[in-house]
Amino acid sequence: MNKSSLRRALSATAIAGGTAALMMAGLAGASAHVSINPDKTTANSYALLTFGVPHGCDTSGTTKLTINLPEELTDATPTVNPNWTVEKVTQTLPEPKKLADGTSITKRTSQIVYTAKAPLDPHLRDALVLSVKLPDTAGKTLYFPTLQNCEQGQTNWAEIPKDGQDAHSLKAPAPSVAVTAADPAAGDTHVAASISTEQAASVTDDGSQARSWAGLIAGVAGLGLGGAAFFRSRSAKASVSK
């Protein structure tokens, strides 16, 4: 094989390897904060919100996660996670609140508190799931300020972007869900789907991470095929020269 062909093969290999490294770095950045992955976002529907806990406080394990519900929600049903205990914190309203069905309430669930039975290893992730009834306010973004307590230190994921500000530019953005318009053809939206603990743990912080993994796998596969072709070509030329 001549030197020019060898240089081209090595250059292609270096580019593929660099691309894979950048994709891995992007994955790490995408999963760097506590975020929500909803199974649905349509207004006036029941949704399962999966809060991903991707890391601890630096090298300290997570011991508690306090999720603050937005004022638009009156309640949430936490999913049991065998690694955590969970409690609902109620708040007395300053005045009765009338619901869509005509009834009124004087209290609402303001917080869901998950406490780890053993500190979550800072290098491991877990997922906590809430079932909520989304309000009938399409186009509105709901924010869930979340306090992450660790064995040492804490992180308050409570920053809310200002108008026109990119949430990704914030250091500790609050997990959020953008409510979308309901589809009249979707049928009954009052039946909530179920999700197992194993499924919840496999949910990524956002859909883009799964696509990034798929792209990374495809890139690595392409690199392997290119390497195989290079060695076959080299072997064939060596046989001819003999």
Side-chain angles (χ1 to χ4, degrees):
M1 184 177 188
N2 58 44
K3 292 183 178 180
S4 177
S5 298
L6 179 59
R7 281 196 298 268
R8 286 196 298 270
L10 292 176
S11 176
T13 300
I15 292 172
T19 301
L22 289 173
M23 292 176 70
M24 288 297 292
L27 288 177
S31 62
H33 56 270
V34 174
S35 60
I36 300 176
N37 187 83
D39 74 321
K40 62 179 66 176
T41 59
T42 51
N44 201 35
S45 68
Y46 283 88
L48 291 171
L49 308 182
T50 300
F51 290 75
V53 188
H55 59 71
C57 306
D58 293 326
T59 59
S60 182
T62 302
T63 57
K64 181 185 293 186
L65 208 71
T66 302
I67 302 170
N68 292 279
L69 302 185
E71 293 183 357
E72 292 83 355
L73 302 184
T74 59
D75 196 15
T77 302
T79 300
V80 173
N81 184 312
N83 300 319
W84 307 70
T85 59
V86 60
E87 64 174 320
K88 298 167 69 169
V89 178
T90 58
Q91 169 193 33
T92 300
L93 301 175
E95 59 183 31
K97 179 178 180 179
K98 190 173 182 178
L99 303 180
D101 62 3
T103 61
S104 297
I105 58 172
T106 57
K107 294 182 178 181
R108 65 179 285 268
T109 301
S110 60
Q111 293 180 331
I112 302 294
V113 182
Y114 277 95
T115 303
K117 295 179 181 179
L120 176 63
D121 188 309
H123 303 296
L124 301 178
R125 73 183 304 277
D126 207 341
L128 307 173
V129 184
L130 302 182
S131 173
V132 303
K133 171 70 177 301
L134 297 177
D136 192 10
T137 51
K140 186 177 183 61
T141 298
L142 305 179
Y143 292 95
F144 295 74
T146 300
L147 179 62
Q148 180 184 16
N149 288 98
C150 299
E151 291 179 287
Q152 295 182 0
Q154 63 182 28
T155 302
N156 191 19
W157 304 97
E159 294 182 284
I160 297 175
K162 299 177 182 178
D163 290 341
Q165 185 179 16
D166 184 0
H168 294 290
S169 67
L170 301 176
K171 184 178 180 180
S176 63
V177 172
V179 182
T180 58
D183 181 1
D188 186 6
T189 59
H190 290 72
V191 179
S194 62
I195 188 168
S196 68
T197 302
E198 181 179 356
Q199 288 174 315
S202 69
V203 175
T204 55
D205 297 329
D206 56 39
S208 63
Q209 186 170 348
R211 292 191 294 272
S212 296
W213 273 112
L216 176 60
I217 292 171
V220 172
L223 177 60
L225 290 173
F230 165 69
F231 284 111
R232 284 199 303 269
S233 175
R234 187 175 181 182
S235 298
K237 289 190 176 184
S239 298
V240 172
S241 64
K242 289 180 182 180

